[in-house]
Amino acid sequence: MTETRLEITELGHRGDGIAITDTGPVYVAGGLPGETLEAKVQNGRAQNPAYLTQSPDRIEPVCRHYAACGGCSVQHLAEGPYLSWKRSLVEKALKTQGIDADVTQTIAATKGGRRRAVFTATRAGRAVLLGYHEKASHKLVDVSECPVLDPTITSALKGLKSLAADLVPKKGELRITVLSTTSGLDVAFEKADKAYDRKIPALSQKTVELDLARLSVNGEVLLEVRPPLLDMGGTGLVPPPGGFTQATHAAEEALSELVAAGVGKAKTVADLFSGVGTFALRLARSGNVHAVEGDSAAIAALDRSLRKPQGLKKVTFEKRDLFRRPLVPEELEPFAAVVFDPPRAGAQAQAEMLAKSKVKTIVAISCNPATLARDLRILIDGGYALHSVTPVDQFHFSPHIEAVAVLKRE
């Protein structure tokens, strides 16, 4: 296999540099636009690259685990070009659907670090490893630091490994979801050894010693020292164990401000794929909101938060699988605005119903530019005008990007 000279011309959607050759694109892990290198090419990927020139945008990674860990892909790119690349991911996805939109500058929403992290733990002989998988591998990187995390999570890594040692199965992997809340860490273990119940006293003692707010194992709350509270725009909420929340508090605030601005003065709003009510509880400060969500635990958490007087307008909620049973035009008629924030798969069925509705304003939030673009195409074809698209970066150093789009029926 001979060496090939490559010139990287762009950064791909997964964070790899891309060099165009006569035989097609070659992907260079860790490569940046403007760099030249020599490498052997195998299956379209550069092997053991030797750099001849380097980009002025290249910087030193901030984490000692970066070379192996699969959690981050672009720590080596300077902040300005990095945010521009994130913006380009949204622009390119829209163009694939024939949407020529003026995408605004990316909002950097990573301040304070990620408050929600998902770790993996496994056995390695007598030792227990806790961390993230290596790049393109099932091997686990045993992390001692993680610069993208909230410092309260990083400082708890040693204690979390101690808990994991009591729960990791003899074979397979243990999943740990950690959420930093206003009252402490909320820790949920999944796929734990089934014999964990005989260790409950020891696990409870460790929970107290580590000053965790709550410990859950395989869906069972073992000990709640304090309710793990989140502040949803002035409304307190206790999320379900291991449940979905926005990754950073800064991003939650940025997204909420964009959603509120998009909804404007609408007095009746439907919040679809509402989760625990991240947007619904904030929007209810100024209008009536109907929240629709398919996850029972998320709806139950929203219900509990509404049982205390919060100074909100009327909030109603409904458990419903919007993939199978989207709200139809007749059900959408009472609402002046609709907000939807689906999982990565997007909201195609619901977008098709919205395209047939008379709703004046739609605000779409997505963590997947490809499915967002598809859903926007449906709405535009249904007569909506795309007013704005704003990328929000809460997944620092990763190829993931959030975006908020506002549409109006003219």
Side-chain angles (χ1 to χ4, degrees):
M1 191 182 299
T2 59
E3 296 266 326
T4 302
R5 186 184 177 97
L6 302 169
E7 181 178 353
I8 300 172
T9 56
E10 64 177 304
L11 200 61
H13 70 280
R14 293 184 179 180
D16 291 335
I18 301 177
I20 303 300
T21 69
D22 293 339
T23 57
V26 175
Y27 296 91
V28 185
L32 295 176
E35 296 183 328
T36 56
L37 61 139
E38 289 183 345
K40 293 178 180 178
V41 178
Q42 186 175 14
N43 297 324
R45 300 197 68 86
Q47 308 295 320
N48 301 317
Y51 285 89
L52 304 175
T53 62
Q54 288 195 343
S55 168
D57 296 329
R58 180 176 287 278
I59 61 173
E60 193 67 24
V62 296
C63 180
R64 73 179 72 176
H65 302 298
Y66 179 63
C69 181
C72 296
S73 59
V74 280
Q75 279 191 18
H76 57 295
L77 179 60
E79 182 77 356
Y82 163 80
L83 292 174
S84 294
W85 169 63
K86 287 287 181 96
R87 178 190 184 190
S88 74
L89 297 177
V90 178
E91 290 176 324
K92 289 177 182 178
L94 294 177
K95 286 180 180 178
T96 62
Q97 293 290 342
I99 302 172
D100 186 15
D102 183 15
V103 179
T104 65
Q105 297 293 327
T106 305
I107 295 174
T110 56
K111 186 178 179 181
R114 289 191 64 158
R115 66 179 181 185
R116 183 179 187 271
V118 180
F119 299 104
T120 299
T122 190
R123 296 188 183 278
R126 294 184 177 181
V128 171
L129 307 180
L130 184 147
Y132 306 109
H133 287 103
E134 292 185 8
K135 293 178 173 70
S137 172
H138 293 295
K139 293 182 180 179
L140 206 64
V141 177
D142 190 38
V143 299
S144 57
E145 66 176 53
C146 183
V148 304
L149 295 182
D150 184 305
T152 60
I153 299 178
T154 305
S155 62
L157 286 172
K158 185 176 180 180
L160 293 173
K161 185 183 286 191
S162 175
L163 277 170
D166 291 333
L167 293 166
V168 67
K170 293 179 181 179
K171 294 183 179 180
E173 296 179 334
L174 180 68
R175 177 185 170 99
I176 309 109
T177 302
V178 186
L179 176 66
S180 178
T181 75
T182 59
S183 50
L185 295 184
D186 183 22
V187 180
F189 288 89
E190 298 173 49
K191 301 181 180 179
D193 189 290
K194 294 180 180 179
Y196 73 86
D197 21 352
R198 51 194 171 92
K199 299 180 180 179
I200 288 178
L203 292 167
S204 298
Q205 182 61 35
K206 285 185 179 181
T207 299
V208 174
E209 291 172 355
L210 294 171
D211 196 28
L212 304 181
R214 181 172 67 183
L215 175 68
S216 307
V217 179
N218 293 355
E220 177 187 5
V221 176
L222 296 192
L223 183 64
E224 184 174 283
V225 180
R226 301 174 296 279
L229 278 172
L230 295 177
D231 180 3
M232 298 294 186
T235 302
L237 182 136
V238 177
F244 173 82
T245 63
Q246 296 296 337
T248 73
H249 178 71
E252 183 171 280
E253 291 298 320
L255 292 169
S256 298
E257 288 175 8
L258 289 167
V259 168
V263 166
K265 297 180 180 180
K267 297 302 181 184
T268 53
V269 183
D271 182 13
L272 311 183
F273 304 95
S274 64
V276 295
T278 302
F279 303 127
L281 291 170
R282 289 172 166 88
L283 293 172
R285 294 278 168 193
S286 57
N288 297 334
V289 181
H290 181 58
V292 185
E293 169 59 44
D295 182 69
S296 299
I299 283 291
L302 175 59
D303 181 20
R304 288 191 297 271
S305 73
L306 292 171
R307 294 182 184 181
K308 297 180 181 179
Q310 306 278 8
L312 304 178
K313 302 292 185 180
K314 184 179 180 181
V315 179
T316 56
F317 52 84
E318 175 185 359
K319 179 184 178 300
R320 181 163 172 170
D321 183 346
L322 291 168
F323 294 108
R324 295 177 59 247
R325 295 177 51 234
L327 268 67
V328 298
E330 290 76 14
E331 293 174 292
L332 292 165
E333 194 169 337
F335 304 109
V338 168
V339 175
F340 68 89
D341 182 16
R344 288 187 63 79
Q348 182 172 350
Q350 187 59 73
E352 290 170 351
M353 292 297 103
L354 282 164
K356 299 175 182 178
S357 76
K358 296 179 181 179
V359 174
K360 291 182 179 179
T361 302
I362 297 175
V363 181
I365 308 98
S366 175
C367 60
N368 185 343
T371 55
L372 173 64
R374 179 202 64 202
D375 294 344
L376 294 181
R377 179 76 268 168
I378 293 170
L379 294 169
I380 292 169
D381 290 345
Y384 284 91
L386 183 58
H387 277 230
S388 65
V389 181
T390 307
V392 178
D393 181 36
Q394 66 170 322
F395 308 106
H396 210 189
F397 303 133
S398 84
H400 302 297
I401 182 68
E402 203 97 15
V404 178
V406 179
L407 304 100
K408 303 277 186 179
R409 188 173 283 288
E410 301 296 341

